[in-house]
Amino acid sequence: MGVTADNLDEGISSLIAELERLRDDVVADAEKRLAPCRDYFPDGNFSISARNLAHYLSLRRYDLRPLQGRLTAWGLSSLGRGEPNVLLNLDRVLSLLRRVAGVADHGTEGVAATGAEGPQILLQHTEQLFGSSPGERSVHIMVTLASEAAWNLGFVKSLLDNGMDCARINCAHDGPDAWRNMVDNVRLAAQQNGRPCKILMDLAGHKIRTGPVVEGPAVMHVKPQRDAMGRVISPAVIGIEADSISEDEGVSAVPRGRYRLAVPQACFDELVPDGRLSFTDVRGKHRYLRLVERIFDRYWLAHCDKSAYLAVDTLFAWQCRGADGHYHTLGEYPICPFAGRPLEIPVFQGERLLLSKDGTPGRPAVHDQHGSLREPARISCTLPEVVERLQPGDDVWIDDGKLGAVVEEVTAEGAVLRVENAAPNGVRIGPGKGLNFPDLEMQLPPLSVKDEEDLDFVCRHADMVGFSFVETVKDMDCLIAALDRREARHLPIIAKIETHRAVRKLPELLLGTMGRQALGVMIARGDLAVELGSVRLAEIQEEILWLCEAAHVPVIWATQVLETLTKKGGRSRPEFTDAAMGVRAECVMLNKGPYILQALRALNNVLVRMEAHQHKKISRLRALHW
C-alpha cells in the first residue's frame, strides 16, 4: 500500500502526541529531581544550568532509539545533540511537526534558555576557569608541571610558546618551596609572553600506594638519554647538595628522577660554574660531572655526558679551569653515603602475592635451590587498615591497572592475592605504586591532613583547586567549608572523577555544587579505568561529557593523553585518535615527561585541525578537498 496523506497525517499526529507526553514527563520528573537540592541554590532559585541538567537526566531515562529513527526519517532533530538546551530542543521539534500537520503551535511554558544561551553559559564558565579562548582553538591545553618548572624559567616560557594555556601543579609531588617557584615562573612567563595562564593545584587526596621495598646494592647508575641509534641526545642531570642539608630541607625542584647525590659541605662550598667533579666509576671508567647551575643556594645541577656507576666509596676530584685553559685538581672529596635503589618485585600471572598489614619492606618471592617456591612475593600498603577490610573475592589493582589480582584469603599477615591480570612477561612492582580496591567503600575523610596543610598554600597562590577522589556532596561540603575558613570561596573547584562511586553520584555532585561554587570536572581516566575496566570507561567517559554539557560545566580530558610521545618520544596512532577525541571537552591535559614540548606541539596541531570538523557531538561540515 502506498503512502497517502492520511498515512502522513496519522504519522505526524502520533509523533506530536508522543513528544508532548515525553516533554510533560521530563518537566515533571525534573522538578522531583531538583526538589532535594533547593538548599544548594541561593534563595532556593535553581539556575538555568541546574534545570537543564535535571531535564537531561529525566529525558535520558527513556530508550529514545525508536523515536530517534522516526524523527530522522522526517529530516528532523534526532534529539541526540540537545544537551545544552534540552527543553528548547524538544519544543523546536514539536513546533516544526505542528506546522507540517497544519495545527496551531500554541508554544510551551518553562523554556528558560534561548537557542544560544546554553552554549553561551558553558563558554562563560569555561572562561571563568581557564581564561579566554586561546585563538586558533577554543579547547584549552593544561600541562602538569615537572619539577624543572621551579628553577627553569626558560622551560616554562617554552611551554607557553608551544600552546600551554593552564598549568597544573600536583600537590602529591615536590613541596611548598618548589610550588612557590613554579607559580612565580608561570606568572612571570605569562606576563612576558603577554598571555594569561591559569594555575590548577591538585590536592593529593588519600592516594593509597605500595609501601617501601628492600634496597639493592648502593650503586647509582647514571645514564644520559639516547636515541634509537644509541647516540646521546641529552646528558644525565644530577642534583648535587651538601651533606648538611637534611631530608626535610631538601628542595624537590631538582629534576625528579634517579640522580641526586650529596658531597661534604667543604666540597660544596668550592663549587663554581664551569668546574667539574672528576671520578673513576666502579668499572674503572673515567667520567666527569660538569657543574651547570646553582639553584636556591642549596643545590647544583651537573651534567654527565656518559654512562657511569657510582658507589659509596667513589672519590671526586674537584677541578677548575686555569688560565692555561686546562683543568687543575683543587681537592679530593668522597661521595656521601647513599641508599641503594629499591628492588623491583617481579610477579607473574597465576602467582600469589602477599599484601601485608605491617610496613615490612616488600621483597621478591623466595625459592629454594630446586626452584620451588618457599615464600610468595610481598608488598605492604601505605594504609594498612584497608587490608584488614578486604574479603575473599575482592579485586585489587596495582600500578594503574598493570597488575590485577583477587583476594584469595585473609591471614594474620595480610591478604593473599592471586594474580589474574598481568603482561606475558610479568609485572615489576616497586614502592609508591597506586593501589585500587574497586569493591571497597574507603570510608576515609574527604581531606587528608596533608590536604588541609596544602590548602593554605593553594588558597593563596592557585586559580583553581583540584579535588582528588571526591565522591559525594558531603565530600564537596567539606572542601567548601575548608575554603570558607580560608576566605577563598572565589576559588573554583575541579572535581576529579576517578572512582566508580563518583560516577554513580555525578548528578548529585553537580547539582549539589553548581549553585554555590564555580565548578569544573576532570575525567581522571587512569584510576577510573582501573575502577571500571577499559571497556566500560570508553562508555562512561562519553556519558560524563554529556552530563557536564547539560550542566554547562567545563570538562578536562585527562590521563595518558599522548603518553608514549610525552614519555618516550614515540608516536602511537591510537593515542593520537584518543587525543583527537579530547576536542569534545573544554580542556585537554598532558602529563609531564621528557618530550613534553613535542607532545604539546602535536596536541595543539591535532586540536586545531579537529575543531574544524567537530564541536562536542556535532560534526561540522568544513569543505573537504579530495
Side-chain angles (χ1 to χ4, degrees):
M1 183 177 67
V3 177
T4 67
D6 290 341
N7 296 144
L8 291 174
D9 289 344
E10 184 179 340
I12 292 176
S13 297
S14 174
L15 267 175
I16 292 173
E18 186 172 351
L19 279 170
E20 287 177 340
R21 287 194 300 272
L22 177 62
R23 189 190 188 284
D24 290 342
D25 288 346
V26 165
V27 171
D29 182 72
E31 291 303 315
K32 293 178 183 176
R33 289 177 180 271
L34 288 170
C37 304
R38 193 171 297 278
D39 290 343
Y40 297 126
F41 292 83
D43 301 321
N45 295 319
F46 296 111
S47 63
I48 292 172
S49 301
R51 289 192 177 279
N52 192 68
L53 174 58
H55 292 147
Y56 184 73
L57 292 167
S58 299
L59 178 69
R60 294 307 303 268
R61 290 181 305 147
Y62 300 95
D63 184 350
L64 299 173
R65 287 174 292 179
L67 181 58
Q68 278 184 306
R70 293 167 64 195
L71 289 171
T72 303
W74 281 92
L76 297 174
S77 166
S78 65
L79 306 181
R81 301 181 182 91
E83 281 82 0
N85 293 297
V86 175
L87 282 189
L88 180 65
N89 194 45
L90 280 170
D91 291 341
R92 282 177 165 171
V93 176
L94 275 168
S95 180
L96 289 170
L97 285 172
R98 287 168 182 149
R99 290 179 188 179
V100 172
V103 299
D105 182 15
H106 51 75
T108 50
E109 297 179 356
V111 180
T114 66
E117 194 164 9
Q120 186 62 33
I121 293 171
L122 177 55
L123 177 60
Q124 291 170 358
H125 290 168
T126 300
E127 291 182 347
Q128 182 181 7
L129 264 59
F130 308 119
S132 57
S133 176
E136 284 187 287
R137 52 180 164 78
S138 61
V139 178
H140 295 71
I141 297 177
M142 178 183 292
V143 177
T144 301
L145 296 181
S147 299
E148 183 180 357
W151 55 268
N152 189 342
L153 177 61
F155 171 66
V156 178
K157 287 182 178 179
S158 296
L159 293 175
L160 284 165
D161 288 340
N162 285 279
M164 179 178 76
D165 310 299
C166 181
R168 172 178 175 257
I169 297 174
N170 186 353
C171 293
H173 302 298
D174 304 307
D177 284 345
W179 301 340
R180 186 174 295 104
N181 282 279
M182 289 179 185
V183 170
D184 290 346
N185 281 341
V186 170
R187 304 294 190 211
L188 180 57
Q191 181 182 357
Q192 293 178 351
N193 281 40
R195 54 176 297 187
C197 182
K198 295 295 185 79
I199 296 175
L200 165 69
M201 292 194 70
D202 256 349
L203 300 177
H206 295 279
K207 183 69 173 177
I208 307 170
R209 299 183 180 273
T210 55
V213 174
V214 293
E215 296 171 352
V219 175
M220 185 185 301
H221 181 195
V222 174
K223 52 184 179 181
Q225 205 169 44
R226 300 179 184 272
D227 62 16
M229 304 299 293
R231 295 178 293 234
V232 174
I233 56 176
S234 62
V237 181
I238 300 97
I240 300 176
E241 61 187 344
D243 60 354
S244 59
I245 297 293
S246 69
E247 189 65 29
D248 291 338
E249 293 179 299
V251 180
S252 54
V254 171
R256 291 181 61 80
R258 295 171 292 228
Y259 314 131
R260 181 170 164 179
L261 55 85
V263 296
Q265 184 71 51
C267 174
F268 187 86
D269 291 342
E270 292 189 27
L271 301 182
V272 294
D274 198 36
R276 68 185 189 185
L277 293 169
S278 173
F279 65 98
T280 300
D281 80 354
V282 296
R283 304 165 301 167
K285 304 285 186 180
H286 199 62
R287 297 289 187 258
Y288 303 98
L289 301 184
R290 295 183 290 107
L291 275 296
V292 177
E293 182 181 6
R294 188 164 182 171
I295 303 169
F296 307 133
D297 295 328
R298 291 186 290 184
Y299 278 84
W300 278 92
L301 289 186
H303 287 175
C304 188
D305 298 313
K306 295 182 179 181
S307 177
Y309 288 81
L310 295 91
V312 291
D313 57 355
T314 299
L315 288 176
F316 287 133
W318 167 237
Q319 300 178 335
C320 284
R321 198 188 299 269
D324 57 2
H326 298 293
Y327 281 98
H328 300 276
T329 298
L330 304 179
E332 194 172 69
Y333 300 94
I335 189 173
C336 293
F338 59 88
R341 286 176 54 78
L343 296 176
E344 291 182 325
I345 302 172
V347 183
F348 298 87
Q349 185 101 3
E351 289 188 343
R352 268 62 177 174
L353 172 67
L354 176 65
L355 185 63
S356 66
K357 296 178 182 178
D358 58 27
T360 303
R363 54 161 177 71
V366 178
H367 296 83
D368 63 20
Q369 59 185 2
H370 305 294
S372 298
L373 180 68
R374 287 176 50 195
E375 297 180 33
R378 64 184 295 151
I379 191 76
S380 63
C381 172
T382 55
L383 203 64
E385 55 264 37
V386 172
V387 181
E388 297 176 355
R389 293 173 48 213
L390 289 171
Q391 299 292 326
D394 285 349
D395 289 330
V396 178
W397 293 87
I398 303 177
D399 195 6
D400 290 334
K402 291 184 177 67
L403 184 147
V406 173
V407 177
E408 200 168 70
E409 62 174 325
V410 179
T411 68
E413 284 190 283
V416 178
L417 312 180
R418 181 180 67 256
V419 179
E420 295 194 339
N421 291 277
N425 295 326
V427 175
R428 294 182 176 273
I429 305 173
K433 301 300 180 182
L435 285 164
N436 290 82
F437 306 94
D439 301 315
L440 282 183
E441 287 195 9
M442 302 310 297
Q443 299 176 350
L444 298 170
L447 297 173
S448 68
V449 173
K450 173 178 166 54
D451 292 338
E452 288 278 5
E453 294 171 352
D454 293 345
L455 262 177
D456 294 334
F457 183 98
V458 172
C459 291
R460 290 195 302 270
H461 298 282
D463 300 305
M464 295 171 279
V465 55
F467 196 177
S468 297
F469 301 102
V470 57
E471 293 186 329
T472 67
V473 176
K474 286 185 177 180
D475 293 346
M476 199 63 79
D477 293 341
C478 181
L479 178 56
I480 291 174
L483 295 178
D484 259 339
R485 292 193 296 273
R486 294 165 175 83
E487 299 182 351
R489 278 294 292 276
H490 63 280
L491 207 61
I493 295 173
I494 303 298
K496 296 175 64 179
I497 306 303
E498 46 198 329
T499 67
H500 189 201
R501 192 178 184 208
V503 170
R504 294 198 316 268
K505 298 287 186 179
L506 181 58
E508 291 94 326
L509 268 174
L510 296 174
L511 288 170
T513 307
M514 60 198 299
R516 50 191 177 138
Q517 195 83 16
L519 179 67
V521 161
M522 179 185 289
I523 309 178
R525 300 183 302 163
D527 283 293
L528 204 51
V530 175
E531 292 264 333
L532 302 174
S534 297
V535 174
R536 181 73 173 127
L537 174 65
E539 178 183 14
I540 287 297
Q541 66 186 12
E542 300 299 314
E543 295 184 15
I544 294 174
L545 284 169
W546 301 339
L547 260 66
C548 289
E549 186 180 5
H552 310 141
V553 169
V555 173
I556 302 170
W557 182 268
T559 316
Q560 297 177 332
V561 176
L562 297 182
E563 183 175 37
T564 301
L565 178 55
T566 304
K567 302 291 188 188
K568 301 179 181 178
R571 291 177 176 255
S572 162
R573 286 190 298 274
E575 288 181 6
F576 270 86
T577 302
D578 173 70
M581 291 300 98
V583 76
R584 295 165 302 163
E586 283 62 52
C587 182
V588 179
M589 190 186 88
L590 287 173
N591 271 319
K592 56 193 172 185
Y595 303 94
I596 183 61
L597 293 179
Q598 293 95 313
L600 190 49
R601 287 192 291 268
L603 179 61
N604 183 68
N605 193 14
V606 166
L607 293 177
V608 168
R609 290 175 177 274
M610 283 302 298
E611 279 200 31
H613 296 289
Q614 188 85 22
H615 174 71
K616 292 295 187 178
K617 291 162 64 178
I618 301 172
S619 295
R620 290 174 165 170
L621 299 181
R622 193 202 77 179
L624 300 180
H625 304 285
W626 291 94

